Amino acid sequence: MKLAYYPGCVAQESGKELDMATRWVCRHLGIELVDFPKFSCCGSGFIDEANSVLNVALNARNLALAEGAGLDLMTVCSTCQGMLTLANRRLEEPAVKTKVDSVLAPLGIHYRGTTKVTHMLGILTEKIGADALKSRVVRPLTGLKVGAFYGCHLLRPQAEMRSESAEEPHSFEDLIAAIGATPVLYRGRVMCCGFPVLFVKEPTANRIAARQIDDAKAHGADAMATPCPLCHISLDSFQNKAAHEAGHALDMPVFHLPQLVGLALGASAEELGLPRHMVSTDAALAKVAQVAVPT
Amino acid sequence: MAAASMPAKFEVYRFDPSKDQVPRYDTFTLDLPPHTPVLTALLKIRTENDPSLTLRYSCRSAICGSCAMLINSKSRLACQTQIGPEIAAHGKIVIEPMRSQPVVRDLVVDQKPFWDRYRRIEPHLKLDAREPMPVGKENPMTPEQVERFKETPRCIACGACYSACPAVEADPAFPGPMALAKLYRFVVDPRDKAQKDRLVRIQPDGLWLCLRCHLCTEACPKDVRPSERIRDLKEMAIAAGGLSENGSRHAHAFKENIGEAGVLNEMKLVRQTYGPMDLLKSVPQGIKLARKKPEILKRPHPIEGIDEVKAIYKALDPEAEGK
């Protein structure tokens, strides 16, 4: 399988560990990732708020790059997934399409609207499949209870994302089960992480993050895992602030999706960038450490 | 022919604050056809099992907006939700009162917080005294003007969006999806003459607290799509109200930031968003993060083809024209 790889900004910067884990897992599963140094930022929902047509045009350019290479595109961020998909949907409106085309045509860019955008979660569960993934597991994460945290833009608005159920999804839990861990169901798994208001009103963002972490914990989660690096910023990078806002310790390790998969496929903590987390993942790793990885 | 009945297990939240220390859940199992509305089942429980079950309802046709409640954790109208799919997905139906509003009894909540926040947007037409409404005549609108309202006139104020909203839950200042969808309705009304004032005044502790999680849009029984109209309001607010808030500055700065290198400069974005006080307060956390993630201190290289990005900005962003 060969895919255009859209890492997004955070995985190339403060969330570098997500990029490390993604490349490790894809190499291991025989997924060839093609880099496009010309990709620009997806706009992260913020450019959409400031200038929606500009947001569509920037993403049409990204989508055209993959289309030109004849490749479908893989994202590793719920927000990138949401924004690129939203651009595909808005371009179905003739007025938007005409406007965007008129801006891109002088640059020699002609997007025909054929680029399929899939998050790595979908690649693993639909293209690789739970059974095939299971057969590659060398370190089943047996005994580790994991709360999946989806990230809003992967799922909603459902009419635009054409996602699985926007309020009661199951693909991430299926993936967690396939690698031997135990998925934990809790309301917070489809809620917001607070990130969009982290720079608007930080205590509010911290309270929202704390609420979801507390919810996962109350349902027995040893760790959380997310397909979105922005959720990771809110849940891991700012977990100390969330704990302060909540008034109690949270101590919740939060994995990026490919880190959890990589662990089960035999990657080391260093290869997955786990030491870069703000909240130590050691307690979660200790739970699965008894299974020796064949070298 | 009537559809075959199925056993349907209900767990219903019960609480009388004047008597009970804590809420409890009562279990009822009924045989019902799968297309039965949850409201019909609850009324059957009240008639046949427990006349003290307290709930609010009226039209039974998704028009009055009275019977919003939590059905297996989702904010929904009980009259519009059939039991079959819920039993298929969950094996039972858990019924609870809406969130973010105090329980009066069982499934009835005190909607005062919801209506108080609605009042904040001043939900009435504000006219210009120099252009009075025509007396004894219609005030016609063009089809294009009507189109701008989008789905917002459909709102029945049931409160399902308010109950589903994590920003409402976390911050009493946030007006909530319904109030903001209604605000949109007044902002695009050609008869209303206070658009700019409305867009400026809703920004502090208001508009920018929306998380764009779209849970309101999924919960709305009338497909009003509040989160999408809030997005529209944000774009209009930046145009109308300048950049006085962290929220508007952040969205605007993000746009500017990407226009420079094509990828995000994380540190610069923080500087562009925050005023001096907030910037100072963010320093200790920044130092902690930089120890583990030194990349945040680096200025990213511009992407290949940044000239294309700049050309797109030049064509579509009025602010970029002179650059």
Side-chain angles (χ1 to χ4, degrees):
Chain A
M1 197 186 326
K2 191 172 167 184
L3 296 164
Y5 172 43
Y6 187 89
C9 298
V10 175
Q12 300 177 76
E13 297 172 23
S14 66
K16 188 84 188 139
E17 68 278 2
L18 168 59
D19 181 67
M20 294 161 66
T22 301
R23 290 183 191 276
W24 193 97
V25 167
C26 288
R27 206 161 49 235
H28 212 74
L29 294 174
I31 301 170
E32 187 187 340
L33 298 180
V34 180
D35 289 306
F36 287 77
K38 291 180 83 173
F39 277 153
S40 73
C41 169
C42 75
S44 191
F46 295 111
I47 297 184
D48 184 40
E49 292 172 347
N51 184 333
S52 57
V53 180
L54 174 66
N55 193 55
V56 175
L58 290 171
N59 283 319
R61 176 181 167 277
N62 288 327
L63 293 164
L65 286 166
E67 186 177 69
L71 296 171
D72 283 336
L73 184 149
M74 182 182 89
T75 62
V76 288
C77 169
S78 297
T79 305
C80 297
Q81 177 65 26
M83 287 305 122
L84 289 162
T85 306
L86 192 65
N88 264 339
R89 296 291 167 267
R90 294 237 175 102
L91 287 165
E92 288 167 11
E93 298 165 29
V96 176
K97 174 103 172 85
T98 307
K99 176 87 192 160
V100 169
D101 282 352
S102 75
V103 172
L104 296 184
L107 303 170
I109 300 169
H110 306 277
Y111 179 50
R112 288 178 287 117
T114 63
T115 303
K116 199 161 177 275
V117 181
T118 312
H119 190 284
M120 187 179 189
L121 174 60
I123 299 291
L124 293 178
T125 54
E126 289 161 31
K127 296 281 188 283
I128 302 280
D131 290 339
L133 193 62
K134 210 180 259 178
S135 73
R136 305 295 301 272
V137 170
V138 295
R139 184 202 278 138
L141 308 183
T142 313
L144 189 69
K145 291 187 206 148
V146 182
F149 191 88
Y150 280 80
C152 297
H153 298 283
L154 188 63
L155 304 170
R156 296 183 294 268
Q158 189 173 27
E160 279 74 29
M161 296 307 129
R162 297 176 195 165
S163 54
E164 56 180 317
S165 165
E167 291 166 289
E168 296 175 332
H170 60 82
S171 64
F172 202 171
E173 282 79 11
D174 296 348
L175 178 73
I176 289 167
I179 55 176
T182 307
V184 171
L185 290 177
Y186 62 110
R187 175 195 168 217
R189 71 200 181 98
V190 295
M191 298 289 282
C192 176
C193 68
F195 180 82
V197 296
L198 190 59
F199 299 98
V200 178
K201 199 173 176 188
E202 193 179 299
T204 300
N206 299 150
R207 269 203 298 283
I208 293 169
R211 195 179 285 261
Q212 319 313 351
I213 296 169
D214 273 335
D215 191 17
K217 203 175 220 177
H219 287 81
D222 304 312
M224 292 166 76
T226 179
C228 181
L230 305 185
C231 296
H232 198 268
I233 290 175
S234 201
L235 299 173
D236 177 73
S237 300
F238 284 79
Q239 194 181 113
N240 60 331
K241 297 275 195 120
H244 177 76
E245 230 9 82
H248 56 257
L250 293 170
D251 297 328
M252 176 63 78
V254 185
F255 292 92
H256 294 283
L257 174 147
Q259 289 178 323
L260 202 65
V261 176
L263 268 186
L265 298 182
S268 70
E270 286 68 30
E271 285 170 315
L272 300 170
L274 292 175
R276 293 170 49 88
H277 289 204
M278 297 303 286
V279 179
S280 168
T281 54
D282 289 353
L285 296 182
K287 286 232 165 194
V288 295
Q290 52 269 49
V291 184
V293 179
T295 45
Chain B
M1 199 177 73
S5 288
M6 59 193 286
K9 185 178 163 194
F10 287 83
E11 291 176 12
V12 183
Y13 177 100
R14 306 300 302 274
F15 186 49
D16 181 347
S18 69
K19 287 196 297 200
D20 303 331
Q21 293 291 310
V22 287
R24 67 175 197 278
Y25 288 80
D26 284 350
T27 304
F28 306 93
T29 304
L30 289 74
D31 266 322
L32 295 166
H35 61 257
T36 308
V38 167
L39 178 61
T40 305
L42 291 174
L43 294 178
K44 194 169 158 69
I45 289 170
R46 195 178 67 171
T47 308
E48 297 176 9
N49 300 86
D50 185 348
S52 72
L53 176 64
T54 309
L55 68 158
R56 185 185 270 138
Y57 72 100
S58 178
C59 77
R60 309 183 197 206
S61 309
I63 294 166
C64 73
S66 300
C67 67
M69 57 183 70
L70 296 187
I71 300 171
N72 284 332
S73 260
K74 303 181 294 282
S75 298
R76 292 287 187 273
L77 292 182
C79 67
Q80 204 187 30
T81 308
Q82 297 184 350
I83 65 166
E86 291 301 318
I87 296 286
H90 299 276
K92 62 180 180 182
I93 301 179
V94 181
I95 301 289
E96 296 163 302
M98 283 197 283
R99 295 192 185 93
S100 301
Q101 295 150 96
V103 173
V104 177
R105 189 163 156 177
D106 295 345
L107 305 174
V108 176
V109 295
D110 177 2
Q111 291 193 287
K112 188 170 184 302
F114 172 72
W115 292 115
D116 282 349
R117 289 175 185 203
Y118 177 49
R119 267 178 218 110
R120 173 174 168 193
I121 66 125
E122 300 177 277
H124 52 265
L125 278 179
K126 294 187 176 188
L127 305 171
D128 186 331
R130 289 164 298 182
E131 297 171 50
M133 293 273 267
V135 180
K137 274 195 298 181
E138 287 176 353
N139 196 349
M141 284 185 211
T142 65
E144 291 73 28
Q145 286 173 325
V146 173
E147 181 63 28
R148 290 198 70 202
F149 287 90
K150 303 275 176 75
E151 302 89 346
T152 53
R154 292 184 196 163
C155 176
I156 55 173
C158 66
C161 60
Y162 185 89
S163 166
C165 176
V168 162
E169 228 176 282
D171 196 325
F174 184 55
M178 175 270 199
L180 291 174
K182 291 280 189 190
L183 175 70
Y184 173 92
R185 177 246 166 277
F186 286 101
V187 167
V188 300
D189 192 316
R191 298 165 299 178
D192 194 273
K193 302 300 174 200
Q195 279 97 341
K196 190 168 178 203
D197 180 56
R198 289 180 186 277
L199 288 169
V200 170
R201 290 209 287 152
I202 198 60
Q203 294 199 54
D205 253 348
L207 193 55
W208 296 102
L209 290 175
C210 167
L211 300 157
R212 60 179 130 80
C213 69
H214 301 292
L215 282 161
C216 53
T217 290
E218 301 302 335
C220 178
K222 291 292 175 187
D223 202 27
V224 168
R225 312 190 76 74
S227 53
E228 296 181 356
R229 298 298 74 79
I230 294 171
R231 192 219 65 80
D232 294 342
L233 284 173
K234 285 175 174 173
E235 192 167 350
M236 290 188 258
I238 289 178
L243 303 169
S244 59
E245 296 298 310
N246 277 354
S248 51
R249 272 201 300 273
H250 190 64
H252 179 263
F254 201 101
K255 185 197 75 185
E256 296 291 295
N257 194 306
I258 301 307
E260 287 162 22
V263 282
L264 184 62
N265 183 335
E266 291 175 316
M267 278 301 276
K268 187 168 181 186
L269 180 66
V270 175
R271 290 202 304 275
Q272 287 168 316
T273 300
Y274 282 154
M277 280 310 290
D278 282 340
L279 190 61
L280 197 64
K281 276 194 279 181
S282 74
V283 169
Q285 185 74 1
I287 293 171
K288 276 184 205 156
L289 290 173
R291 280 198 202 118
K292 294 266 190 171
K293 300 163 179 286
E295 298 80 7
I296 63 171
L297 302 174
K298 282 190 213 146
R299 190 169 147 192
H301 289 294
I303 59 164
E304 285 179 23
I306 182 66
D307 289 346
E308 290 172 8
V309 168
K310 286 186 193 274
I312 294 170
Y313 269 73
K314 204 156 199 166
L316 291 173
D317 185 20
E319 286 181 88
E321 271 169 42
K323 288 183 188 169

